[in-house]
Amino acid sequence: MRSGSTMAPTIATPPPDAAVRALLTELGLSHLIGVFAEHEVDDAAFVQLKDADLRDINISRGNRRKILTAIQKIKERESQWAPS
């Protein structure tokens, strides 16, 4: 090991929008990854999106439906794992 080394740790940390990117790709909407990145939509913000939010960033109606359906499925899955 070199003394005085200022190298960053080598632990791989996924970007904060990794789930958003994966979901958009899975939905066939990978062309929208840049739009979501431009508007700084990370994984936490993604599941809070509403139709009006998607409209504001110029997502077409059909793509909004795909995204909102996917968000609803994520929320349903999360609610199944929430403690009662």
Side-chain angles (χ1 to χ4, degrees), residues 17-51:
D17 62 347
V20 172
R21 290 170 181 260
L23 183 65
L24 289 172
T25 300
E26 183 180 317
L27 293 173
L29 303 175
S30 59
H31 62 281
L32 296 176
I33 290 172
V35 174
F36 282 86
E38 179 183 330
H39 291 278
E40 300 178 359
V41 177
D42 62 10
D43 296 342
F46 183 78
V47 295
Q48 302 302 317
L49 291 173
K50 305 283 188 240
D51 186 61

